[in-house]
């Protein structure tokens, strides 16, 4: 699918406008409750679905179906991102009022990372047929890891990127309001909130490789792949605040996501064989069926479990009173 430069320009301006509105409405760093998160999640989902309708009118049902398949996969994988974000925020005891700011800038970084990966990945798939096998095997292996090694994440502060940043940039292991940088004794240093942002960005960098490779298994159209990623990611912040307190209910979701990654890997490999690309209706059917089964299975297994959709903020706030001493040292010399 070939798209003119002005279409890209309009799309980028629309995304920038939506991000600007979101930033303006949350400029006071207030704690986001479940109701507000649910409303914004509905708005972002409606925007993503509406864009698919626009594609349907503009380019036809096949293109729109391809977009919806990519959007659904990215939205599903975003739930796994939410698990990791909850881990990072709890680990670093991030005050609930500052979590939205971290996620906001994290989303901007995610959009940039994905655009780079999409351009490179699409070009490789178009230029070298054997890269489909490489990406396919990578997705199948990732699916295996997700299914059988779920929950074995590295502690956020041990992430190699976080450790490198702490080594290269002078860092104060404390929070200084919502600032990423501050001055202590006349020296500009990064705050703990900046370390959290780097942890989120580094984690999303890994997720970006999985999600982009998965959607490239459906289409190599840069425009479709990026828009599917973008509209799914734009609602990631609201999704976090909406689902963070319900994550304990999705105990089997990772099996469904693992199955989708494996399916995408097999689909990508088959695309370079006499079998060819699977029809979009088949792909959409597999995605919807897999997600439905894993979610229903999870909810059935955890029925009767008490949950609170606002727990994410409460946990982070309560954790701040129990965090290690290096996180609570008085802020001497800060200004």
């Amino acid at each position: 699918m070939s798209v003119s430069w002005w279409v890209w320009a309009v799309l980028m301006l629309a995304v920038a406008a939506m991000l600007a509105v979101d930033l303006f409405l949350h400029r006071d760093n207030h704690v986001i409750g479940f109701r507000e998160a649910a409303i914004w999640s509905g708005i972002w989902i409606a925007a993503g679905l509406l864009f698919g309708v626009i594609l349907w009118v503009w380019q036809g049902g096949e293109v729109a179906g391809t977009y919806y398949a990519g959007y659904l996969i990215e939205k599903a994988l975003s739930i796994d991102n939410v698990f990791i974000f909850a881990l990072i925020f709890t680990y670093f005891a991030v005050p609930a009022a500052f979590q939205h700011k971290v996620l906001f800038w994290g989303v901007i970084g995610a959009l940039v990372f994905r655009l780079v990966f999409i351009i490179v990945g699409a070009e490789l798939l178009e230029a070298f047929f054997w890269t489909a096998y490489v990406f396919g095997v990578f997705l199948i292996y990732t699916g295996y890891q997700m299914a059988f090694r779920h929950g074995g994440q590295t502690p956020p502060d041990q992430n190699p990127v976080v450790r490198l940043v702490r080594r290269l940039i002078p860092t104060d292991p404390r929070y200084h309001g919502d600032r990423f940088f501050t001055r202590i004794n006349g020296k500009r240093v990064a705050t703990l909130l900046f370390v959290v942002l780097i942890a989120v960005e580094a984690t999303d960098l890994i997720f970006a490789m999985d999600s982009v490779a998965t959607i490239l298994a459906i289409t190599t159209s840069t425009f479709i792949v990026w828009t599917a990623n973008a509209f799914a990611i734009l609602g990631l912040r609201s999704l976090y605040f909406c689902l963070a307190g319900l994550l304990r209910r999705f105990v089997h979701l990772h099996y469904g996501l693992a199955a989708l990654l494996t399916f995408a890997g097999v689909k990508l490999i088959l695309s370079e064989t006499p079998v060819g690309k699977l029809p979009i209706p088949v792909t959409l059917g597999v995605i919807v069926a897999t997600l439905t089964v894993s979610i229903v299975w999870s909810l059935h297994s955890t029925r009767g479990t008490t949950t609170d959709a606002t727990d994410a903020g409460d946990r982070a706030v309560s954790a701040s009173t129990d965090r290690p001493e290096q996180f609570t040292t008085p802020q001497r010399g800060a200004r």
Side-chain angles (χ1 to χ4, degrees), residues 125 129-140 268-269:
L125 286 172
F129 76 92
W130 50 265
T131 55
Y133 301 130
V134 175
F135 285 174
V137 171
F138 168 72
L139 287 171
I140 293 171
L268 195 55
I269 292 174

Side-chain angles (χ1 to χ4, degrees), residues 48-49 64-82 114 139 142-143 146 204 207-219 224-233 236 239 253-254 256-268 278-292 294-295:
L49 296 177
T66 302
Y67 163 79
Y68 280 129
Y71 176 79
L72 281 176
I73 285 182
E74 180 59 34
K75 205 67 175 177
L77 290 174
S78 294
I79 298 177
D80 211 47
N81 291 42
V82 170
R114 280 164 169 73
L139 287 171
T142 303
M146 181 173 288
D204 191 74
F207 276 109
M209 296 174 64
D210 297 343
S211 61
V212 169
T214 303
I215 302 182
L216 285 173
I218 301 173
T219 177
I224 296 299
V225 176
W226 192 78
T227 51
N229 267 270
F231 279 102
I233 293 170
L236 186 59
L239 184 68
L253 181 62
H254 63 283
L257 297 178
L260 288 179
L261 289 173
T262 303
F263 169 73
V266 172
K267 184 176 184 297
L268 195 55
L278 297 179
I280 291 301
V282 173
T283 301
L284 271 172
V286 170
I287 294 170
V288 173
T290 303
L291 291 177
T292 301
S294 59
I295 291 174

Side-chain angles (χ1 to χ4, degrees), residues 59-265:
Q59 294 289 332
E62 184 176 354
V63 172
T66 302
Y67 163 79
Y68 280 129
Y71 176 79
L72 281 176
I73 285 182
E74 180 59 34
K75 205 67 175 177
L77 290 174
S78 294
I79 298 177
D80 211 47
N81 291 42
V82 170
F83 277 92
I84 306 303
F85 294 158
L87 170 68
I88 292 173
F89 288 158
T90 301
Y91 185 90
F92 287 107
V94 182
F98 306 149
Q99 292 175 8
H100 181 275
K101 182 174 183 178
V102 173
L103 291 176
F104 176 86
W105 292 107
V107 163
I108 292 179
L111 290 172
V112 175
F113 290 150
R114 280 164 169 73
L115 183 58
V116 173
F117 287 162
I118 289 166
I119 293 174
V120 174
E123 288 297 324
L124 286 175
L125 286 172
E126 291 289 341
F128 307 103
F129 76 92
W130 50 265
T131 55
Y133 301 130
V134 175
F135 285 174
V137 171
F138 168 72
L139 287 171
I140 293 171
Y141 177 69
T142 303
Y144 166 80
Q145 284 192 314
M146 181 173 288
F148 298 104
R149 301 183 183 182
H150 196 264
Q153 296 91 351
T154 303
D157 68 337
Q158 295 302 310
N159 184 293
V161 177
V162 173
R163 296 174 67 181
L164 177 63
V165 168
R166 278 181 154 171
R167 184 171 299 178
L168 296 177
I169 302 176
T171 305
D172 184 61
R174 298 166 294 180
Y175 291 110
H176 296 260
D178 67 341
R179 288 175 288 180
F180 291 128
F181 292 90
T182 189
R183 288 188 179 276
I184 298 180
N185 297 325
K187 184 178 181 180
R188 185 176 178 80
V189 299
T191 68
L192 184 57
L193 198 64
F194 181 76
V195 175
V196 175
L197 175 62
I198 295 301
V200 168
E201 294 283 18
T203 299
D204 191 74
L205 184 62
I206 298 172
F207 276 109
M209 296 174 64
D210 297 343
S211 61
V212 169
T214 303
I215 302 182
L216 285 173
I218 301 173
T219 177
T220 55
S221 169
T222 304
F223 184 78
I224 296 299
V225 176
W226 192 78
T227 51
N229 267 270
F231 279 102
I233 293 170
L234 284 172
L236 186 59
R237 298 175 309 285
S238 300
L239 184 68
Y240 169 78
F241 292 106
C242 196
L243 294 183
L246 303 174
L247 291 181
R248 71 193 77 172
R249 298 290 307 276
F250 299 137
V251 294
H252 301 308
L253 181 62
H254 63 283
Y255 290 121
L257 297 178
L260 288 179
L261 289 173
T262 303
F263 169 73

